[in-house]
Amino acid sequence: MEHHIDEAAWIRMFDVLGLPAWVSQPGRMGAGRLLSEMHQVADAADAERTTSGPRDVPDLLDRLMAADDPETGRRKAHQNGRENLLTFIAAGHETTAVTLAWAPYLMAFDPDTQSRASAEARARLGDRAAEDHDMAGLKLTRAAIEETLRLYP
């Protein structure tokens, strides 16, 4: 994903000039190859999950594969699911990573809040991984994340 974003983020003179997409442009071949590789990885993940079935704790891929079109009620097409998966990964990886970096950094300045958040998580979760429904019971953790996003949107 990092290589794809690095390649796609370049502003090229051809882009500034507004030339049509069919005009051959230096650097686009590399971006196309990377996109093709990402499609292959997403397709492989889809095939593996189709074979193995959903995980005990559903992840993003499980949720996308089980999604129905809200307008028609039909299961979404494979390619649509692949594009959604890649979009979520591209749009979400950096914002999530930044939030997960800033939140502990900010909490490090307040050891009392850090200890209370840790105790809250242990009391609510024990040794298991958090699930969606747990967020309602993790009020301090949620407040810390929301404050992080407020300070560093």
Side-chain angles (χ1 to χ4, degrees), residues 21-84:
W22 56 264
V23 174
S24 180
Q25 298 183 28
R28 282 231 172 133
M29 285 191 202
R33 181 186 46 76
L34 288 168
L35 184 58
S36 177
E37 289 174 11
M38 289 173 46
H39 283 177
Q40 290 172 9
V41 169
D43 289 345
D46 180 81
E48 186 278 327
R49 192 62 55 89
T50 298
T51 301
S52 69
R55 294 186 173 178
D56 292 336
V57 177
D59 61 12
L60 175 63
L61 183 56
D62 290 326
R63 293 176 192 275
L64 287 172
M65 291 177 77
D68 295 329
D69 185 314
E71 293 178 12
T72 65
R74 291 184 307 203
R75 179 80 13 109
K76 295 203 175 201
H78 164 75
Q79 175 146 351
N80 195 7
R82 176 181 68 195
E83 298 305 324
N84 284 337

Side-chain angles (χ1 to χ4, degrees), residues 6 17 19-20 39-40 42 45 47 51 67 75 86 90 96 101 110 115 124 141 152:
D6 286 346
L17 294 173
L19 296 176
H39 283 177
Q40 290 172 9
T51 301
R75 179 80 13 109
L86 294 175
T96 301
D110 189 351
S115 295
R124 175 80 180 177
T141 301
Y152 301 100

Side-chain angles (χ1 to χ4, degrees), residues 2-12 15 31 34:
E2 182 179 342
H3 295 295
H4 177 69
I5 289 173
D6 286 346
E7 184 66 33
W10 282 92
I11 297 174
R12 296 174 181 86
D15 296 328
L34 288 168

